[in-house]
Amino acid sequence: QVHLVESGGGLVQPGGSLRLSCAASRTIFSRVNTMAWYRQAPGKQRELVAGITSGGTTNYADSVKGRFTISRDNSKNTVYLQMNSLKPEDTAVYFCNVRATLLSRHDESLYWGQGTQVTVSS
């Protein structure tokens, strides 16, 4: 079953913007801790783009600092990635990752979204 629903990917010209969303279903998860975005470009290793703790502490890859902003809405169990000033090198499949507890369990585990394609091209 798919526990994380991602949206917002697409094709955009250089300099454009996109906002990615990832929702962790409240009917599946009792608690959501750290939320993050990773990306993987062709021929590249998967890398951490941005992360945010339950308390709101954020961290970013150097390549996206000043351009991307990660945020979360805890009432909706949703994490966002606002991407501005997009560059061709930002082209990748973006994966949502969350550390969360299932309603049926007592321990935290890592969960991945299926990925959403972001293509930056003129």
Side-chain angles (χ1 to χ4, degrees):
Q1 286 186 314
V2 178
H3 296 156
L4 306 176
V5 180
E6 302 178 2
S7 64
L11 174 65
V12 66
Q13 294 184 343
S17 298
L18 287 172
R19 189 175 78 156
L20 306 183
S21 299
C22 175
S25 176
R26 285 173 288 179
T27 64
I28 297 175
F29 297 104
S30 59
R31 297 185 185 278
V32 178
N33 198 345
T34 301
M35 310 183 81
W37 289 97
Y38 289 74
R39 68 185 181 186
Q40 187 165 22
K44 300 284 189 177
Q45 293 184 333
R46 186 172 298 186
E47 65 172 339
L48 175 66
V49 178
I52 184 168
T53 69
S54 60
T57 301
T58 60
N59 65 288
Y60 298 90
D62 288 340
S63 60
V64 306
K65 286 181 179 177
R67 299 187 298 120
F68 291 10
T69 302
I70 188 171
S71 61
R72 63 191 290 167
D73 184 338
N74 290 331
S75 68
K76 299 179 179 179
N77 282 349
T78 300
V79 62
Y80 305 93
L81 185 67
Q82 179 67 46
M83 304 183 292
N84 298 326
S85 301
L86 284 163
K87 305 175 181 179
E89 53 262 44
D90 294 318
T91 296
V93 177
Y94 285 69
F95 297 90
C96 177
N97 174 263
V98 303
R99 178 177 292 142
T101 302
L102 296 174
L103 285 168
S104 60
R105 296 183 63 87
H106 303 288
D107 59 325
E108 290 187 335
S109 295
L110 295 177
Y111 299 90
W112 291 90
Q114 294 188 45
T116 183
Q117 177 71 47
V118 171
T119 302
V120 184
S121 177
S122 60

